[in-house]
């Protein structure tokens, strides 16, 4: 494993203004989890009244438990094995309980070493790297993202498309799970990692997100709270979950 640095994270999850239940679930540890030096996860559940809530919580808990006992020699191997276990656990619960049938969840996770972040995602919850600019690292597994790739939709129109919430991959839906994995170099200009659900990104433009985080870079928890407030002011149409990881001492 590579050399690690001490990180500080700031986070919140909010029901939003229109949903009755918060189906998002987050895990945030600046301390080691198993062989990983830190671990950050955001999951956005889908399903019936209780099913989405169960799916997100179950997937994250299962993932973390597996990481703690995993002996894979690589970071990506550890994350992949943990995701496989989480997927099987959610799927098994859905098959054993009719009320949970059809549930699933998005999943985005990251762990940070000295100069590199290891990232994985399934669905449309995102991770961004912020420094001199804000760069989306993950690629949404969604209907509108596929339309954008095919040239059938402009990215600026994706946030208002009627099928913007339709995802093409999720944890707990199929027997096999396919995730994307990234190794992200964090240079001297890198300041934050942002993990979030679409309750933020569907309500607030990336430019606004970047502006708020940089404006309150010295008080990151205030930045997080202001982002939630802005998402709710713009409609609060979904649950909002945010983890902001400071890569440098603020």
């Amino acid at each position: 494993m590579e050399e690690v640095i001490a990180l500080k994270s700031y986070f919140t999850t909010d029901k939003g203004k229109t949903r009755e239940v918060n189906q998002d679930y987050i895990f945030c540890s600046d301390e080691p989890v198993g062989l990983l030096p830190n671990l950050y996860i955001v999951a956005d559940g889908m399903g019936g009244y209780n099913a989405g809530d169960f799916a997100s919580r179950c997937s994250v808990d299962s993932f973390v438990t597996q990481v703690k006992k995993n002996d894979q020699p690589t970071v990506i191997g550890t994350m992949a094995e943990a995701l496989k276990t989480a997927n099987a656990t959610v799927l098994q619960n859905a098959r054993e309980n009719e009320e949970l049938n059809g549930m699933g969840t998005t999943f985005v996770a990251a762990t940070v070493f000295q100069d590199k972040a290891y990232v994985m995602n399934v669905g449309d919850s995102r991770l961004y790297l912020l420094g001199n600019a804000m760069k989306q690292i993950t690629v949404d597994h969604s209907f509108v993202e596929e339309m954008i790739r095919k040239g059938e939709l402009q990215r600026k129109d994706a946030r208002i498309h009627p099928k913007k919430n339709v995802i093409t991959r999720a944890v707990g839906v199929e027997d096999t799970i396919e995730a994307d994995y990234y190794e992200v170099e964090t240079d001297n200009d890198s300041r934050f990692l942002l993990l979030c659900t679409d309750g933020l990104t569907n309500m607030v433009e990336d430019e606004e997100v970047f502006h708020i985080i940089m404006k309150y870079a010295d008080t990151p928890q205030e930045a997080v709270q202001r982002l939630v407030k802005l998402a709710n002011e713009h409609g609060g149409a979904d649950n909002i979950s945010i983890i902001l990881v400071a890569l440098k001492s603020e």
Side-chain angles (χ1 to χ4, degrees):
M1 293 289 187
E2 303 173 39
E3 184 182 359
V4 300
I5 55 174
L7 300 179
K8 177 65 177 174
S9 56
Y10 308 84
F11 56 92
T12 194
T13 183
D14 187 88
K15 186 165 64 73
K17 295 181 68 175
T18 65
R19 300 298 176 108
E20 295 183 9
V21 175
N22 189 346
Q23 296 188 325
D24 289 355
Y25 194 77
I26 61 177
F27 177 86
C28 202
S29 177
D30 298 324
E31 302 300 322
V33 179
L35 296 177
L36 302 182
N38 43 65
L39 183 59
Y40 310 100
I41 307 171
V42 168
D44 181 358
M46 62 182 188
Y49 186 79
N50 293 317
D53 175 39
F54 182 90
S56 59
R57 183 177 68 256
C58 177
S59 66
V60 172
D61 289 347
S62 177
F63 185 95
V64 172
T65 297
Q66 183 63 28
V67 167
K68 288 179 179 178
K69 63 183 181 181
N70 199 290
D71 59 357
Q72 292 285 329
T74 67
V75 177
I76 297 299
T78 297
M79 298 175 83
E81 185 67 20
L83 182 66
K84 180 180 177 181
T85 300
N87 184 70
T89 303
V90 175
L91 196 56
Q92 180 181 356
N93 277 276
R95 288 170 173 167
E96 293 177 349
N97 188 332
E98 186 175 347
E99 293 182 356
L100 301 178
N101 186 43
M103 69 177 174
T105 183
T106 70
F107 203 95
V108 59
T111 185
V112 183
F113 288 78
Q114 181 67 33
D115 57 358
K116 188 177 294 184
Y118 295 86
V119 180
M120 59 150 288
N121 81 295
V122 179
D124 63 356
S125 294
R126 296 177 179 176
L127 182 141
Y128 294 85
L129 177 66
L130 289 79
N132 294 327
M134 177 166 150
K135 179 181 180 182
Q136 182 178 336
I137 302 300
T138 55
V139 176
D140 294 351
H141 304 136
S142 67
F143 180 81
V144 295
E145 185 64 33
E146 290 187 0
M147 291 183 67
I148 291 169
R149 292 181 184 179
K150 294 175 182 178
E152 299 172 353
L153 181 70
Q154 295 293 316
R155 188 165 296 280
K156 63 181 178 63
D157 298 322
R159 289 176 64 248
I160 59 173
H161 194 278
K163 292 187 176 182
K164 66 179 182 296
N165 294 322
V166 177
I167 60 175
T168 55
R169 297 188 207 173
V171 177
V173 175
E174 303 287 347
D175 287 323
T176 58
I177 183 71
E178 181 182 358
D180 289 341
Y181 297 89
Y182 307 87
E183 294 185 12
V184 183
E185 299 291 340
T186 56
D187 57 26
N188 291 332
D189 294 324
S190 301
R191 298 193 65 183
F192 295 101
L193 289 181
L194 170 66
L195 295 81
C196 60
T197 57
D198 64 351
L200 175 67
T201 54
N202 281 341
M203 295 290 105
V204 185
E205 295 280 3
D206 285 4
E207 292 80 2
E208 292 180 281
V209 173
F210 181 63
H211 172 73
I212 288 174
I213 293 175
M214 290 299 104
K215 181 177 180 180
Y216 298 98
D218 293 334
T219 53
Q221 189 62 45
E222 183 174 0
V224 168
Q225 297 300 334
R226 285 182 177 269
L227 287 173
V228 170
K229 182 174 183 290
L230 186 58
N232 280 322
E233 287 175 351
H234 287 184
D238 203 348
N239 309 144
I240 309 151
S241 293
I242 299 170
I243 299 176
L244 188 62
V245 184
L247 301 175
K248 303 179 185 299
S249 298
E250 300 302 328

